[in-house]
Amino acid sequence: MTAPDSTTPPLTTADIRRKFLEFFQSKGHLILPGHSVIAPDPTTMFTVAGMQQFKPQFMGAPAVFSQGESKRVTTAQKCVRMDDIENVGRTRRHLSLFEMMGNFSFGDYFKRDTIAWAWEFLTSPEWMGFDRDRLYVTIYVDDDEAFGYWTEDHGLPADHIHRFGADENFWPADAPLQGPNGPCGPCSEIYYDRGPKYGDDTWADYAETRESARFLEVWNLVFPEFDRQGLDENGEPVLAPLPFKNIDTGMGLERVASVVQDVPDFYTNDVFAPLIEKIAELSGRPYEGEQSVSHRVIAEHARSVSMVIADGVALSNTGRGYVVRKVLRRASRHAYLLGLTEPSIYQLVPLVVERMKDGYPELVTEQGRVQAAILAEEERFLRTLEGGMQRLNGLLESLGDEKVLSGEDAFTLYDTYGFPLDLTQEIAAEHGVDVDVTGYEVALERAQETARAGSKFGKSELFDAGAEAVQNLPQTEFVGYDLLDAEGEVLAVLEGEGGTHRTVVLDRTPFYAEGGGEVGDTGRLEWTNAAGERGEGRVLNTHKVGGVFLHEVDVLSGELSQGQRVRGVVGPERAAIQRHHTATHLLHAALRAVLGSGVRQAGSLVAPGRLRFDFTHAAALSAEELAAVETLVSRWVSANFPVHWQEMPIEAAKAAGATALFGEKYGDTVRVVNVEGDVDYQGAAVHSMELCGGAHVRRTGDIGAFVLLSDENVAAGVRRIEALAGEAATAWVRGQLGQLGRAANLLNTGSEGLEDRISGLQGQLRGAEKEVVQLKQQLAEAQMGGGSAGGDIRELGGYRVAAVRLSGVEGGALRGAADKLLESSGADLVVVASDSGLVVKASKDAVARGAHAGQLIGRLAAAGGGKGGGRPDMAQAGVQNADAALAALESALG
Ligand code: SER
């Protein structure tokens, strides 16, 4: 890197992220959002590379995105690798979430350009400004083409280049032999030499060691030109050429930040350092020594877990949700090790959001939800953590010489105390003990079978409502788009927390389960059992796990049991929810018409009482834009168009122009909600058609009144609108009119005269305020004896000092009095005190000789029970006792 200029702070991680995207934009790339951490294809659980969302384009699919069409694109991609977390925090090199900056070409430019641009971005002083002598590269063993570009185009010395095989210089690594199938190709990696303070190894050594703290890999340039299609009968990989040659690169953002900021590791960069500091502050334990592992674990996991939850992963006992829960519990155990026995990790979320929101504005909208989820999990785990730790420590102590913890014990720790297996393994390893994993799996399997056999499931850590217990139940048939009253059969009843609370699964239900921004339905269940006894329950909420709907029911009378037929009646809130949902679609279409098609939905809430819609747009909406949006929606409402929904293949839906949420994963068949009629906006027809699984009104007229309440900024480039439909809207308007009427009444006028009346009163108020100031000045002058005060000049440390005590004079008048006194007395320093204020002024000449009003006032204010400071020529303070302050001056004057 070029010598850091001491006056310019180094680039932050956000700066580097932004610069990367800007750089490639300047090379004709379209900036696209990275994919959600939920992987776009089933090859992995989480997204692990920037190219993952572009596999179809590499294989020849059209390069058409919601943001436009382009064969060159660039992204910042959150990548999650949570399978190997025990190293995170113990070393400073592993992260469970990292950011990869990428540029991609779909049959457009190839090797020569991508090498040239990587070189330019890293070495140009305008971009990263790395010292070119510190750059080294590796290439695939026979890639003479890449060798030529590096050495001839950019003058890289041949001894800065190593040639490696498919273990290092093919992506995915070793793909030809091991797979996975799909796009792959040789690659060239760029390294930065961090210098001898990180190690005395050389680049030549690296050919042997392949490990170095000194030579840091910062960027991988992949040249995907093959489609791996398995092995042939001889066990040789089949590498078919792709339809064209592609580019996939991944620059490690955290690594480049370490180099740019010249910090030793990730934990000292601008993203993690504040987190580490906050953890030290919360725990009172400094970031040093052995315990610093815990600071790192907590900081790293707080960031990754927050970002994963923000992308919609819910903590659970299966699959992805369980992986995240394990990571959070690991962090929670480390917080506990630092003495944090109360929930603490959720308090780090605002800092994570603050440090990461530039790249991921959705974090801002999701912050509340993320914090709530982490807090709930911390509370839940901390309740059992202490007991579990005692139990585990006891077990470890009693092991004696055999260094193996039994699978049964590990299972009990999981079932009773919520200790994930890997947490138990990690703690055991700290004591040099292994865990019998096979024994654990046997115990787990046995417990799962026992639970499945029963019709009622006990609610324990392992089988909490909505996870394991329902995973083998059939998908619920949802009939609630058309029916609000329908019969179904109880498939399972889970005991809830309270005595009458049950979680009920039906084979068929009219209740909508929370999803797509729409809240879950409420209502009631009714039944008559075999003995003719009637029962009733209130449905408090409905949500779903996979395709199984869970009704949260408060049983008011009777008992619910498996096999019982029940009638489900959705409550009247649904009508209000449907109004708000269709209104949300119209609002979305109207925003795109008025503000442009750059508007993208960033989140929504559809509830009976209101709707909230978050969308991407840089500026606040003008009054005209707001009015235009509101008018467009009202036009749809009065046109009373039918609203239709139907299922269709996703391709057909897209071809028909349906709006889809970017980053959302859709199945092959999607539901499309279409408003059958256009409204006119400045001569253009505006249509609303969206992919959506929610509940809607039959005709736009059912929405009724519609009002936009507010437009506010929630994050960089993301705005939030709240709006009301139907009765909620009319009730709100009525409330506003009532307030207006009461305000007008207070001012003895009608609402139409209110504005005039208020500006009249404001004028009067300003006049009165002016008068008060004048009166105070007169009061001050009168007290100072018309300018003759201050005759009493005394000496303090070589300065001539005059002091006056006034009363009933504050603020500007007090400062004015001090000016007057300075002028009239000819003193070097003046002190003017009033009931609770103190002003000290020094003449220019005195300041030039070293007088300091701020220093003097500090001492006087302290004596008067206050605090103050200021410039050498003027200072003011608030005090409790002005006389004591003056007395202090007196005694100083002798
Ligand atoms: N896909 C490559 C990697 O993950 C480069 O983006 O390293």
Side-chain angles (χ1 to χ4, degrees):
M1 217 191 132
T2 43
D5 175 349
S6 58
T7 56
T8 342
L11 298 177
T12 62
T13 300
D15 293 333
I16 301 168
R17 192 191 296 116
R18 219 176 305 118
K19 274 183 169 276
F20 185 98
L21 298 174
E22 268 167 29
F23 175 81
F24 281 101
Q25 190 176 41
S26 79
K27 306 291 181 198
H29 290 62
L30 178 67
I31 302 179
L32 291 183
H35 194 269
S36 135
V37 298
I38 300 171
D41 62 57
T43 55
T44 56
M45 187 177 255
F46 293 105
T47 303
V48 299
M51 62 77 76
Q52 216 169 338
Q53 66 168 326
F54 301 122
K55 279 188 194 175
Q57 282 72 30
F58 285 160
M59 310 278 285
V64 181
F65 309 94
S66 337
Q67 290 76 3
E69 185 169 352
S70 177
K71 288 184 176 159
R72 357 180 127 174
V73 302
T74 178
T75 62
Q77 180 64 55
K78 305 164 265 197
C79 299
V80 172
R81 299 189 187 167
M82 287 187 170
D83 38 3
D84 214 10
I85 52 163
E86 66 275 9
N87 285 324
V88 176
R90 295 199 180 278
T91 77
R92 293 162 203 247
R93 290 180 294 129
H94 293 87
L95 294 173
S96 67
L97 178 143
F98 55 94
E99 293 181 72
M100 206 139 65
M101 305 303 305
N103 57 288
F104 305 90
S105 154
F106 314 122
D108 188 22
Y109 62 87
F110 196 51
K111 232 176 254 193
R112 184 171 207 157
D113 287 330
T114 204
I115 287 178
W117 289 334
W119 184 257
E120 180 184 346
F121 183 74
L122 291 180
T123 60
S124 156
E126 198 190 325
W127 302 100
M128 293 300 105
F130 288 4
D131 178 352
R132 46 175 60 214
D133 295 336
R134 289 183 169 228
L135 292 179
Y136 293 79
V137 307
T138 62
I139 56 175
Y140 187 57
V141 64
D142 63 4
D143 195 350
D144 295 332
E145 187 189 349
F147 184 86
Y149 299 143
W150 283 121
T151 51
E152 284 156 33
D153 291 359
H154 307 294
L156 193 73
D159 64 3
H160 278 221
I161 303 179
H162 284 314
R163 291 172 185 256
F164 292 142
D167 53 340
E168 296 277 353
N169 281 103
F170 208 91
W171 203 89
D174 277 327
L177 274 177
Q178 295 177 3
N181 285 339
C184 58
C187 63
S188 177
E189 296 178 340
I190 308 175
Y191 288 72
Y192 180 84
D193 176 8
R194 306 209 69 195
K197 70 177 162 178
Y198 291 94
D200 51 16
D201 49 334
T202 63
W203 180 244
D205 297 336
Y206 190 78
E208 300 303 321
T209 56
R210 310 277 179 100
E211 269 274 339
S212 173
R214 171 173 175 167
F215 295 94
L216 185 68
E217 183 202 329
V218 291
W219 202 337
N220 187 11
L221 314 180
V222 188
F223 316 120
E225 45 180 311
F226 305 114
D227 174 15
R228 182 189 191 269
Q229 298 174 345
L231 300 174
D232 64 17
E233 59 272 23
N234 304 322
E236 293 294 322
V238 181
L239 292 182
L242 283 168
F244 36 64
K245 294 181 175 183
N246 301 288
I247 286 297
D248 153 31
T249 88
M251 184 188 89
L253 182 59
E254 292 86 355
R255 293 176 180 206
V256 171
S258 296
V259 174
V260 169
Q261 295 170 12
D262 196 23
V263 291
D265 59 54
F266 301 143
Y267 295 98
T268 35
N269 73 17
D270 67 304
V271 171
F272 283 114
L275 284 166
I276 297 272
E277 201 175 298
K278 178 84 182 171
I279 294 161
E281 180 198 314
L282 287 173
S283 65
R285 305 273 183 93
Y287 178 57
E288 61 190 26
E290 289 227 338
Q291 69 182 11
S292 68
V293 172
S294 295
H295 295 77
R296 288 192 291 275
V297 168
I298 301 166
E300 202 286 334
H301 292 357
R303 182 177 81 133
S304 65
V305 168
S306 296
M307 297 191 59
V308 171
I309 296 178
D311 271 359
V313 176
L315 300 175
S316 72
N317 274 347
T318 47
R320 211 179 267 126
Y322 188 57
V323 174
V324 184
R325 169 170 278 174
K326 287 196 295 189
V327 173
L328 182 51
R329 290 191 170 184
R330 180 171 186 255
S332 194
R333 206 254 313 184
H334 278 277
Y336 186 83
L337 285 177
L338 289 182
L340 289 164
T341 52
E342 294 294 322
S344 51
I345 301 166
Y346 78 100
Q347 297 180 45
L348 303 173
V349 175
L351 260 183
V352 171
V353 172
E354 149 71 28
R355 302 314 302 168
M356 302 298 292
K357 67 181 180 195
D358 196 79
Y360 309 98
E362 68 276 10
L363 284 172
V364 177
T365 21
E366 300 305 321
Q367 176 172 330
R369 191 172 59 74
V370 171
Q371 263 188 304
I374 295 182
L375 171 62
E377 178 64 19
E378 284 192 272
E379 281 175 336
R380 175 184 247 230
F381 187 51
L382 283 169
R383 274 202 294 272
T384 60
L385 177 62
E386 174 144 18
M389 287 302 290
Q390 277 170 7
R391 173 80 172 256
L392 178 52
N393 285 332
L395 289 167
L396 291 170
E397 273 162 29
S398 67
L399 281 181
D401 282 345
E402 19 147 2
K403 294 282 185 198
V404 181
L405 185 77
S406 79
E408 277 293 338
D409 284 337
F411 176 72
T412 310
L413 282 161
Y414 169 48
D415 191 27
T416 315
Y417 301 104
F419 276 41
L421 176 64
D422 17 18
L423 181 61
T424 302
Q425 284 178 303
E426 187 174 343
I427 302 169
E430 287 163 9
H431 295 77
V433 171
D434 278 338
V435 178
D436 171 11
V437 176
T438 320
Y440 169 87
E441 277 161 5
V442 171
L444 176 70
E445 184 64 26
R446 197 179 321 122
Q448 282 174 340
E449 271 164 22
T450 318
R452 272 175 215 141
S455 65
K456 275 192 179 180
F457 303 90
K459 192 171 177 181
S460 77
E461 263 302 307
L462 175 57
F463 306 112
D464 70 353
E468 298 278 339
V470 299
Q471 74 174 10
N472 292 320
L473 292 174
Q475 307 260 309
T476 308
E477 184 196 351
F478 175 62
V479 295
Y481 293 131
D482 303 307
L483 302 176
L484 296 177
D485 184 337
E487 282 213 352
E489 182 185 319
V490 175
L491 297 184
V493 183
L494 291 81
E495 300 272 357
E497 304 273 342
T500 56
H501 184 270
R502 303 280 183 279
T503 301
V504 180
V505 180
L506 305 175
D507 62 343
R508 180 172 179 270
T509 184
F511 291 92
Y512 180 82
E514 179 187 337
E518 183 176 324
V519 299
D521 273 341
T522 54
R524 59 178 212 277
L525 294 183
E526 299 169 358
W527 62 92
T528 307
N529 71 10
E533 292 152 359
R534 295 171 55 82
E536 193 183 348
R538 259 190 320 142
V539 178
L540 309 171
N541 195 5
T542 311
H543 50 106
K544 63 184 171 193
V545 171
V548 180
F549 285 41
L550 306 176
H551 305 80
E552 299 304 334
V553 180
D554 184 22
V555 177
L556 304 175
S557 62
E559 264 300 320
L560 263 180
S561 52
Q562 197 185 2
Q564 175 69 52
R565 288 203 67 78
V566 297
R567 173 175 172 218
V569 184
V570 179
E573 291 80 9
R574 169 68 93 74
I577 293 171
Q578 291 181 172
R579 276 188 207 111
H580 282 116
H581 206 154
T582 309
T584 304
H585 284 205
L586 299 180
L587 174 64
H588 188 184
L591 285 167
R592 290 170 70 96
V594 173
L595 303 177
S597 56
V599 165
R600 268 196 300 120
Q601 175 164 353
S604 71
L605 171 75
V606 176
R610 70 199 168 110
L611 74 86
R612 197 176 71 204
F613 188 74
D614 296 343
F615 58 102
T616 54
H617 188 62
L621 273 64
S622 66
E624 292 75 40
E625 286 167 338
L626 283 171
V629 169
E630 203 177 47
T631 308
L632 268 183
V633 175
S634 302
R635 255 179 223 163
W636 263 298
V637 173
S638 28
N640 200 20
F641 292 130
V643 180
H644 284 152
W645 44 86
Q646 76 180 99
E647 301 217 319
M648 56 171 85
I650 181 135
E651 292 314 324
K654 287 196 171 156
T659 311
L661 287 196
F662 193 77
E664 186 90 344
K665 184 134 178 53
Y666 296 101
D668 296 337
T669 307
V670 292
R671 182 166 176 268
V672 174
V673 176
N674 188 30
V675 175
E676 309 269 331
D678 297 340
V679 292
D680 175 82
Y681 179 68
Q682 297 182 342
V686 188
H687 191 79
S688 162
M689 187 200 286
E690 280 194 36
L691 264 53
C692 174
H696 289 269
V697 296
R698 298 260 164 203
R699 300 192 74 98
T700 52
D702 298 344
I703 293 172
F706 176 79
V707 251
L708 272 185
L709 299 190
S710 58
D711 155 53
E712 56 174 7
N713 190 42
V714 286
V718 181
R719 304 205 62 84
R720 166 169 296 177
I721 279 187
E722 293 215 334
L724 301 175
E727 278 177 31
T730 37
W732 183 84
V733 171
R734 202 175 319 110
Q736 293 287 306
L737 287 175
Q739 266 179 22
L740 199 63
R742 285 191 298 279
N745 248 341
L746 278 176
L747 298 177
N748 284 328
T749 172
S751 55
E752 62 297 333
L754 200 54
E755 277 173 296
D756 283 348
R757 190 90 178 88
I758 289 176
S759 52
L761 283 172
Q762 280 174 330
Q764 283 176 20
L765 191 61
R766 273 194 298 273
E769 279 167 351
K770 234 193 216 148
E771 215 167 300
V772 169
V773 171
Q774 280 164 3
L775 284 171
K776 285 202 169 153
Q777 266 162 9
Q778 283 168 16
L779 181 64
E781 279 166 26
Q783 291 180 53
M784 294 201 311
S788 64
D792 188 11
I793 292 188
R794 286 176 295 161
E795 176 85 14
L796 176 67
Y799 300 108
R800 291 146 38 79
V801 181
V804 175
R805 170 72 160 92
L806 306 175
S807 66
V809 181
E810 306 114 42
L814 197 60
R815 286 195 299 275
D819 281 336
K820 272 242 153 63
L821 183 58
L822 192 63
E823 201 183 295
S824 64
S825 65
D828 297 321
L829 273 162
V830 297
V831 178
V832 183
S834 184
D835 313 304
S836 59
L838 207 58
V839 172
V840 177
K841 287 206 159 203
S843 70
K844 270 206 185 103
D845 170 54
V847 170
R849 286 191 287 125
H852 200 295
Q855 280 165 11
L856 177 57
I857 209 167
R859 291 205 298 278
L860 300 183
K867 255 198 197 152
R871 306 190 308 249
D873 63 333
M874 206 287 279
Q876 47 192 345
V879 290
Q880 277 162 17
N881 186 343
D883 293 321
L886 282 182
L889 178 65
E890 269 315 303
S891 62
L893 293 170

